[in-house]
Amino acid sequence: MSVISVGQAVVLGAVEGVTEFLPVSSTGHLKIVEGLMGIPVDDGAVVGFSAVIQVGAIAAVLVYFFKDIVRIVSAWGRGLRDREERYHHDYKFAWWVICATVPIVVVGLAAKPLIEGPLASLWVVAGSLIVGSGVMWAADQMGRHKRGEDDTSFKDAMLVGSSQILALLFPGFSRSGATMSTALILDLDRVAATRLSFFLGIPALTGAGLYELKDALGTGVGVAPLAVGTAVSFVVAYASIAWLLKFVAKHSFNAFVIYRIVVGVLLFGLLGAGVLSS
């Protein structure tokens, strides 16, 4: 018997697709919904399932930004062969993404027992939602929003990429929220911050999903729930990406800040009342 049914996989796939790239914490929302459905949030198979269905959301990014990705990868390939091409921004950007992924990979492997154990608590999720909201609000206020995507540097990529560690260690903080906030503090505009967050998420989330696949299949999650959850995640994430890019072009992140605080406070209440188990 799979610890997650096909019906539950549909719900969790939709939650993943909606929240993966919005700065509201997909991991936090998945754990909340899993708790409400009576699914053990710290079960190794469940943690693996959550990581695997992220691949559906990443596939949505690959499809949505296909032309950009082809351009960047092509420039990287040309730069490996031709020294003159190495001065092209796309060539350098490809290397920056690779380098900026290293910190989260190292920490993810080193802290795996903590991430899947004590840090998987819903109490951590609730606190991280609220604390992350404060960081996001401050970043949006501090940032001067004067730099575009072509103005990014290696330092920007490394700082933004390293900020993903916050979401890895504190589910609820939000990978998107951490990366976008860091980019805003570095004075990138909201669209550039959002796009940088997307590109940096591709290797990190794809790697996590592939790494966890064996655990998800080997410890209690069936192939059907994994396939369904991943497919639903892809469809919903694609729509979410399109909406978010249009939204941040004209609005601040205040709506997300308020939403996160409400969810965090509500979660603290449900945990305190015993409605949800941590």
Side-chain angles (χ1 to χ4, degrees), residues 36-90:
L36 291 173
M37 291 194 295
I39 300 171
V41 298
D42 57 350
D43 185 293
V46 176
V47 174
F49 173 85
S50 299
V52 170
I53 64 173
Q54 287 178 338
V55 175
I58 289 300
V61 173
L62 294 175
V63 173
Y64 193 91
F65 292 106
F66 182 73
K67 291 182 179 179
D68 292 305
I69 293 170
V70 169
R71 187 190 75 244
I72 292 169
V73 172
S74 297
W76 183 69
R78 291 194 303 271
L80 293 178
R81 300 187 303 270
D82 185 348
R83 182 182 296 272
E84 292 299 320
E85 293 289 336
R86 297 174 190 175
Y87 295 99
H88 197 286
H89 183 270
D90 285 339

Side-chain angles (χ1 to χ4, degrees), residues 97-264:
V97 170
I98 294 171
C99 294
T101 302
V102 173
I104 192 173
V105 172
V106 172
V107 174
L109 292 174
K112 193 171 187 290
L114 285 174
I115 295 167
E116 296 182 355
L119 294 178
S121 168
L122 288 178
W123 289 105
V124 176
V125 171
S128 298
L129 277 166
I130 294 174
V131 172
S133 298
V135 173
M136 188 182 302
W137 179 85
D140 209 10
Q141 299 301 309
M142 290 168 55
R144 290 179 286 179
H145 315 291
K146 67 177 184 178
R147 300 170 58 207
E149 188 173 345
D150 290 339
D151 299 318
T152 54
S153 64
F154 175 70
K155 176 183 176 182
D156 296 329
M158 289 302 298
L159 289 173
V160 175
S162 296
S163 71
Q164 295 178 110
I165 295 171
L166 287 171
L168 184 67
L169 297 178
F170 305 106
F173 202 97
S174 169
R175 190 200 66 82
S176 296
T179 52
M180 290 178 190
S181 295
T182 303
L184 289 174
I185 291 173
L186 294 170
D187 292 332
L188 270 68
D189 63 47
R190 295 187 184 98
V191 173
T194 302
R195 284 174 59 88
L196 181 58
S197 175
F198 285 145
F199 289 125
L200 287 172
I202 292 173
L205 296 179
T206 301
L210 295 176
Y211 180 79
E212 294 286 355
L213 180 59
K214 65 181 187 305
D215 293 332
L217 288 173
T219 56
V221 177
V223 174
L226 277 173
V228 170
T230 302
V232 172
S233 172
F234 168 80
V235 174
V236 177
Y238 189 91
S240 179
I241 292 167
W243 177 84
L244 180 60
L245 286 171
K246 291 179 181 178
F247 180 85
V248 298
K250 299 179 180 179
H251 302 85
S252 72
F253 288 119
N254 288 343
F256 298 118
V257 170
I258 295 170
Y259 172 79
R260 289 169 56 103
I261 293 173
V262 170
V263 173

